[in-house]
Amino acid sequence: AQSVTQLGSHVSVSEGALVLLRCNYSSSVPPYLFWYVQYPNQGLQLLLKYTSAATLVKGINGFEAEFKKSETSFHLTKPSAHMSDAAEYFCAVSEGNQGGKLIFGQGTELSVKP
Amino acid sequence: GAGVSQTPSNKVTEKGKYVELRCDPISGHTALYWYRQSLGQGPEFLIYFQGTGAADDSGLPNDRFFAVRPEGSVSTLKIQRTERGDSAVYLCASSLTGDGVTDTQYFGPGTRLTVL
């Protein structure tokens, strides 16, 4: 069975600092991996996805993530945090051949201090 | 164009009551998903529709939960004999084809269900 573990339920950074949100996955087949962001009172929005092409994936709002098979990781980064990045971030995995059913991690809340 | 919409945005009910939650997907999207998000947790898959049929209902927790999509567009999630543990935000998502590789799921804002 597939699963996702997000290390750290809360991460706090200063504005302008590096953002690093950690995600490790477990999958018996080559995974498809996603990062979603959830702003308060809004629906989940796709940031980026890995579908077995390039291992470094660039997304919206300056975020990127690198797929590392040897580490079973798909960590999300952004070089310089902005106040508007404060939100809940979810990592998710899919097997791709089951109608795109997503298995989500428990989420990481990102706070950005001025 | 319009995104995924869900009604009501909030629903408060009493234990034992029946509730219906509605999802309007993006026009033309054949795939529709229901997820449940409990406080402090990530969304949990419930059911996936391809057109009018439920292609995967493995996430429904028990037979009190049922969902329909009779015309391949709007879907209704139905919960019978609600329990306090059913309190959560119910999320709906739709995608163009249901292809897990090329498609993107677009999520609605959710319905917050509170069972007293």
Side-chain angles (χ1 to χ4, degrees):
Chain A
Q2 294 180 308
S3 66
V4 169
T5 301
Q6 291 183 240
L7 300 177
S9 58
H10 290 90
V11 170
S12 182
V13 300
S14 297
E15 192 172 20
L18 171 72
V19 175
L20 171 60
L21 304 182
R22 300 178 186 272
C23 172
N24 288 87
Y25 69 90
S26 173
S27 178
S28 58
V29 297
Y32 300 99
L33 295 158
F34 306 78
W35 275 99
Y36 278 84
V37 61
Q38 188 174 37
Y39 298 102
N41 300 315
Q42 294 187 29
L44 288 159
Q45 179 183 4
L46 180 67
L47 273 179
L48 50 80
K49 64 180 179 182
Y50 166 76
T51 57
S52 75
T55 57
L56 182 62
V57 182
K58 294 187 184 298
I60 62 172
N61 301 338
F63 285 93
E64 62 182 37
E66 185 172 10
F67 172 70
K68 292 187 176 181
K69 183 178 179 180
S70 62
E71 298 178 6
T72 61
S73 70
F74 190 58
H75 301 332
L76 182 71
T77 61
K78 182 174 180 178
S80 177
H82 192 273
M83 296 296 291
S84 61
D85 295 327
E88 186 94 22
Y89 292 80
F90 293 95
C91 183
V93 65
S94 165
E95 289 187 357
N97 60 349
Q98 294 185 351
K101 174 176 76 175
L102 295 172
I103 307 299
F104 285 88
Q106 71 272 33
T108 297
E109 183 177 1
L110 175 66
S111 300
V112 182
K113 299 175 292 186
Chain B
V4 178
S5 62
Q6 294 186 245
T7 54
S9 56
N10 281 283
K11 177 69 177 179
V12 180
T13 190
E14 294 179 344
K15 180 176 179 293
K17 299 290 188 181
Y18 168 83
V19 296
E20 290 189 351
L21 311 179
R22 176 187 169 105
C23 172
D24 281 84
I26 293 172
S27 178
H29 280 195
T30 63
L32 185 145
Y33 308 79
W34 283 100
Y35 296 83
R36 177 170 70 173
Q37 186 174 16
S38 300
L39 193 62
Q41 302 295 318
E44 175 190 20
F45 170 80
L46 295 177
I47 187 170
Y48 152 60
F49 285 91
Q50 183 58 258
T52 60
D56 182 352
D57 64 358
S58 62
L60 294 178
N62 51 59
D63 60 6
R64 295 187 297 106
F65 288 75
F66 189 72
V68 295
R69 195 185 185 199
E71 298 179 356
S73 178
V74 171
S75 176
T76 305
L77 179 65
K78 308 180 181 193
I79 310 175
Q80 299 177 321
R81 305 183 303 280
T82 52
E83 300 177 356
R84 293 192 179 89
D86 298 335
S87 296
V89 176
Y90 289 81
L91 300 172
C92 178
S94 71
S95 70
L96 187 60
T97 66
D99 185 305
V101 179
T102 60
D103 248 4
T104 294
Q105 291 185 31
Y106 296 89
F107 283 79
T111 292
R112 182 175 300 278
L113 175 66
T114 303
V115 182
L116 301 177

